[in-house]
Amino acid sequence: MAFLAPALLAGVLLIGIPIALHLRRRRDPVRVEFPALRLLKRNRHRTETQLRLRRWVLLALRCCLLALLAAALARPLLKPPSADSGAAADGPAGEGVGLALVIDNGPNAAYQSRNETRLEAAQELASKLLSGLPGDTPVVLADRAAGGGASMLEPAAAAARVDRLRVGGAAKPLAAAVRDAVVRLAETPAARREAYVFTDLSAGAWDEASQRTVAAVLEEHPGVALRLVDVGVAEPRNAAIDDLRMPSESLAVGEALALSASIHLVGEWREPLAAQLWVDGEKGPVKRDERLVDPKGKSVPVEFTLSGLSEGFTTGFVRVVAGDAAPDDDARYFAVEVRRPRSMLIVAPEQRDAVFFRAAIDPSVMDPSVASRFETGVIAFDAWPRQSLAGYDAVVMIDPSPTVERGRGWRRLYDAAIGGAGVGVFLGGEATLDDFNSPDVQALLPAPLEWRSRDSTYLRPTSFAHPAIKPLAPYADAILWQTFPVYQRWELGDLREGAAVVARYADGGPAIVEQSVGRGRVLMMTTSVNDRYNPAVDGGYEWNRLPTGDDPWPFVLLARSLADYLTGAAETQLSYIAGETVSAPLPTGVELPGYVLRTPGGEAVRQSVPPGRSELAISAATEPGPYRLEAGADLDRRFVVNLDPRAGHVERVAFGELQTSLGKDRVELIRNEEELTASIDLGRVGRELYGWVLVLVAATLVGEQWVGNRYYRQTKEGQ
């Protein structure tokens, strides 16, 4: 308990006034001669006892009334336990409190309601909070701006910075901003530390990973209390393109582009929505397709096919016409490079042994009317010593045998990889331990061979982060690898330094291994992609059912993905999330003094290129939309930037769920300005009891009047 005006407690001394008056007004007994003396004697004792009791009760009420009035004028406070502890609490009220403010200014903060965005609602509440703080209160301020951290400021400086905040497309996770603020706040000497997070409680900002991050930092800093200031709307309504997939960002001339989009819906939608496909032209975007979609469920798929693309770069976007409160997430951009087919040489024991792999990556072999991504050539090992490797982007060896060494075969492959070509090695029954563990072969392969296993298993990739199998990620749940068993495979020894496992089998053994050699890359698969097996070398066992199982579309997808990686097509990344660093390769053999970056808004940003660079690293691409890199006739490249897909997930997370994950006693929900004011007053100076004391004063006054009236009435009657 504390008082804002403790000097006024001296008013308690006025209690002496009613005591003096009470003693002065004491009456001596009055003798009354009355005939019915017997009746008076009977009631005398009871009457005197009642009057004596009421007299003391009346005195006590009057003393209590004056004491309560003095206490009310002194403004009593109920202070939290930590507000009086620590060295910082020795100063004036509020000096022992430290605050952290985290403002959610991510893309979801652009959602509009009541003619203001969620960021503007947060700014208004935060400014009012800061305006009521003493000037020496330490304030930690953090937001979701990419690359920013938590800053220690005075309230006035913090208020000015809050007013300057803007919604940013490049935003770090809200949990990261909360972590930075809590860690910085924990460094302050304040006895009481409270973190206020101004958030719309959207699922995109408070996903499970974010909740775990915040729970962990609160566990590390138990002295920090978390306050969630709700600036969202009770029932948000939004439609957003949160996913846009395509098989590859590199196409061959004549190849059609297949686009698969997903519309994420929040709230109720009754009327059909229009999904549109737009392609950027010289005079602006041109609509190429439009279709109506039925808004059933939370996620609605829509597909487009774009054909007739000319050689070079093409950009565009898929948009949903919804007229909702968050238009920034209604579109998702794409970019694709159309170029001549990449070339690949396939070497096999016999040409027919390459039929499955070749047909998977080059469908024009089976149907000449189909555009091909690769120009493939197939030779048998007998022709290998006379084959030139010049002009090929990649060389694939299917079931290689020791005879490859004729004509310095492995050394030629090594030199090709050094020069930038891709080399694929699919092991089979022709491999032998002695020959494949020789120095010339091991200079190329990422690991030595140990033995051939006949334990049945199947492919089971657990991660699709590697670019060699990244295109399989959207189909991970649909591929039943166990229906394509692997009966034989090679077990490997320790991987060489720099090598990595791309995919594993179900038993944990390596299935696909990769390493970089010079400017090129080497992929080795430990089982064959040839359906033919030789009982003399295979022991009567087939190797696998990958290309020959029922409906082997996963093998087709895997083969194309590996071929893209080997030929360099997988390196063509043209789509980025706002905030990511854009990597753009520079033309070889040309020294560029500088380049021009044209932004979606039409701005031209000129930058210089440091000498010796082989690629550009661009960190200024934060605005969603298409970008263009230009440097005369030597460089003309396009790429696009999109919002984080979670930006459109504005459905609210229940506060009960947050309490469960963050700790019921560690987090508090604040819904409006009144609750915010009450919370900050309690943390800064304690909760004022002035109103409650006045209620007690009124109750005491009523009691004093009632007892006084009864006392004096009976006294007069006694007289």
Side-chain angles (χ1 to χ4, degrees):
M1 177 70 72
F3 297 90
L4 287 178
L8 295 180
L9 287 177
V12 177
L13 299 178
L14 297 177
I15 293 176
I17 296 175
I19 295 176
L21 293 175
H22 184 82
L23 294 176
R24 183 183 178 189
R25 294 189 61 181
R26 291 184 60 181
R27 296 176 179 270
D28 295 331
V30 178
R31 296 183 180 274
V32 179
E33 298 291 340
F34 195 79
L37 186 57
R38 183 181 301 174
L39 180 61
L40 290 175
K41 287 182 177 180
R42 182 187 303 172
N43 295 329
R44 176 182 178 183
H45 179 72
R46 184 178 63 183
T47 303
E48 288 182 353
T49 301
Q50 291 179 351
L51 290 175
R52 188 180 302 111
L53 176 62
R54 289 173 181 171
R55 183 174 66 230
W56 287 109
V57 170
L58 183 60
L59 175 62
L61 287 173
R62 289 172 174 172
C63 294
C64 184
L65 179 61
L66 289 176
L68 288 174
L69 284 173
L73 292 175
R75 300 181 66 183
L77 301 171
L78 180 61
K79 304 190 73 174
S82 61
D84 291 322
S85 60
D90 296 335
E95 199 173 274
V97 180
L99 298 182
L101 274 64
V102 181
I103 311 295
D104 184 355
N105 61 335
N108 53 294
Y111 187 96
Q112 292 190 355
S113 176
R114 299 183 296 273
N115 295 323
E116 66 176 358
T117 65
R118 299 304 86 210
L119 175 59
E120 291 170 344
Q123 288 173 315
E124 182 179 357
L125 287 177
S127 298
K128 291 180 179 178
L129 186 154
L130 292 169
S131 64
L133 294 178
D136 56 353
T137 303
V139 177
V140 176
L141 183 61
D143 60 80
R144 295 182 61 185
S151 303
M152 182 72 70
L153 303 169
E154 294 182 351
R161 179 172 166 182
V162 167
D163 290 339
R164 293 195 299 268
L165 291 179
R166 295 294 179 267
V167 175
K172 64 184 178 183
L174 178 61
V178 174
R179 182 186 60 234
D180 295 343
V182 170
V183 171
R184 189 68 184 274
L185 180 62
E187 298 173 355
T188 64
R192 183 176 179 84
R193 306 180 182 95
E194 295 183 347
Y196 290 82
V197 182
F198 295 81
T199 173
D200 60 356
L201 298 181
S202 61
W206 289 99
D207 56 9
E208 293 184 359
S210 298
Q211 293 181 35
R212 289 194 298 268
T213 299
V214 175
V217 74
L218 290 179
E219 187 69 23
E220 295 173 2
H221 303 283
V224 177
L226 186 64
R227 308 283 186 259
L228 301 182
V229 183
D230 185 5
V231 297
V233 296
E235 297 181 356
R237 187 172 180 266
N238 187 48
I241 304 291
D242 70 344
D243 191 18
L244 182 60
R245 301 184 302 272
M246 61 184 97
S248 176
E249 293 180 329
S250 177
L251 300 179
V253 175
E255 188 177 4
L257 174 63
L259 294 167
S260 299
S262 177
I263 304 175
H264 184 80
L265 299 176
V266 180
E268 292 187 4
W269 296 84
R270 301 183 183 276
E271 300 296 328
L273 300 176
Q276 301 175 342
L277 172 64
W278 294 74
V279 175
D280 294 325
E282 292 296 331
K283 298 182 179 180
V286 178
K287 185 167 66 174
R288 296 288 296 268
D289 198 356
E290 180 176 359
R291 59 195 62 188
L292 296 179
V293 295
D294 191 5
K296 290 184 178 180
K298 294 183 178 180
S299 182
V300 181
V302 59
E303 296 182 353
F304 295 99
T305 300
L306 187 61
S307 58
L309 298 178
S310 58
E311 189 171 352
F313 291 92
T314 298
T315 60
F317 58 90
V318 174
R319 183 175 67 183
V320 56
V321 181
D324 53 29
D328 293 345
D329 54 27
D330 291 348
R332 199 149 191 89
Y333 301 88
F334 67 88
V336 64
E337 181 185 13
V338 180
R339 54 175 294 169
R340 298 183 61 82
R342 298 176 187 264
S343 59
M344 175 180 288
L345 176 65
I346 304 175
V347 188
E350 297 182 16
Q351 290 193 15
R352 63 174 181 152
D353 295 328
V355 62
F356 283 101
F357 184 80
R358 186 186 187 190
I361 67 172
D362 187 2
S364 63
V365 175
M366 310 298 295
D367 185 358
S369 64
V370 177
S372 176
R373 295 174 53 79
F374 303 97
E375 291 180 350
T376 56
V378 180
I379 63 171
F381 286 127
D382 291 341
W384 168 250
R386 302 182 300 276
Q387 177 67 43
S388 171
L389 303 184
Y392 286 103
D393 296 307
V395 180
V396 170
M397 312 293 288
I398 295 179
D399 196 6
S401 68
T403 59
V404 172
E405 188 54 32
R406 288 184 300 177
R408 297 178 62 252
W410 292 106
R411 176 58 60 179
R412 293 169 62 203
L413 289 173
Y414 179 84
D415 293 340
I418 290 291
V423 176
V425 179
F426 295 88
L427 298 175
E430 296 288 344
T432 61
L433 291 177
D434 291 340
D435 292 299
F436 276 68
N437 288 337
S438 63
D440 285 343
V441 181
Q442 286 301 305
L444 181 73
L445 300 186
L449 279 59
E450 288 198 341
W451 72 86
R452 194 192 322 184
S453 172
R454 291 190 173 92
D455 295 333
S456 181
T457 184
Y458 56 89
L459 277 174
R460 190 172 68 181
T462 57
S463 172
F464 297 90
H466 197 284
I469 59 171
K470 189 174 181 179
L472 277 69
Y475 312 94
D477 296 334
I479 299 178
L480 302 178
W481 290 110
Q482 58 268 33
T483 61
F484 305 96
V486 175
Y487 303 114
Q488 292 194 81
R489 43 42 189 289
W490 282 96
E491 294 285 354
L492 304 180
D494 295 336
L495 300 184
R496 306 199 181 283
E497 183 178 358
V501 176
V502 176
R504 295 184 180 273
Y505 296 110
D507 59 7
I512 304 174
V513 186
E514 177 264 350
Q515 77 168 351
S516 297
V517 176
R519 293 171 41 224
R521 63 206 61 83
V522 177
L523 274 179
M524 181 173 69
M525 191 167 180
T526 58
T527 191
S528 179
V529 293
N530 174 16
D531 71 313
R532 184 175 62 89
Y533 62 95
N534 184 352
V537 296
D538 296 332
Y541 293 90
E542 61 180 319
W543 279 80
N544 56 66
R545 293 286 180 88
L546 288 172
T548 59
D550 294 337
D551 192 14
W553 64 270
F555 172 76
V556 175
L557 194 61
L558 175 64
R560 291 182 180 180
S561 179
L562 297 180
D564 278 343
Y565 181 72
L566 288 173
T567 58
E571 296 178 349
T572 306
Q573 182 179 356
L574 303 177
S575 179
Y576 296 86
I577 300 298
E580 291 183 344
T581 299
V582 177
S583 297
L586 293 173
T588 57
V590 179
E591 287 289 339
L592 296 179
Y595 66 92
V596 176
L597 175 65
R598 300 193 181 277
T599 68
E603 182 182 2
V605 181
R606 299 183 181 275
Q607 296 287 339
S608 60
V609 179
R613 290 288 181 89
S614 60
E615 66 177 14
L616 299 175
I618 303 171
S619 58
T622 59
E623 180 184 357
Y627 289 77
R628 185 170 184 172
L629 281 171
E630 296 178 321
D634 298 318
L635 178 64
D636 187 0
R637 186 178 180 85
R638 315 287 179 88
F639 64 90
V640 295
V641 172
N642 285 297
L643 295 176
D644 190 309
R646 295 172 294 182
H649 293 211
V650 297
E651 61 271 27
R652 290 166 62 84
V653 177
F655 179 63
E657 177 183 339
L658 295 177
Q659 280 186 311
T660 301
S661 60
L662 305 182
K664 187 174 182 180
D665 299 332
R666 300 298 307 278
V667 60
E668 174 188 344
L669 181 63
I670 298 174
R671 301 175 180 84
N672 49 51
E673 182 181 348
E674 291 74 17
E675 292 183 6
L676 178 62
T677 302
S679 176
I680 188 60
D681 284 345
L682 175 61
R684 179 166 58 91
V685 296
R687 189 180 301 279
E688 288 199 43
L689 303 179
Y690 180 76
W692 292 103
V693 175
L694 287 182
V695 171
L696 291 177
V697 169
T700 304
L701 182 60
V702 172
E704 188 272 340
Q705 290 293 321
W706 184 78
V707 174
N709 290 337
R710 293 286 302 270
Y711 172 73
Y712 291 117
R713 185 175 68 249
Q714 291 192 8
T715 301
K716 291 179 180 179
E717 292 175 354
Q719 292 177 352

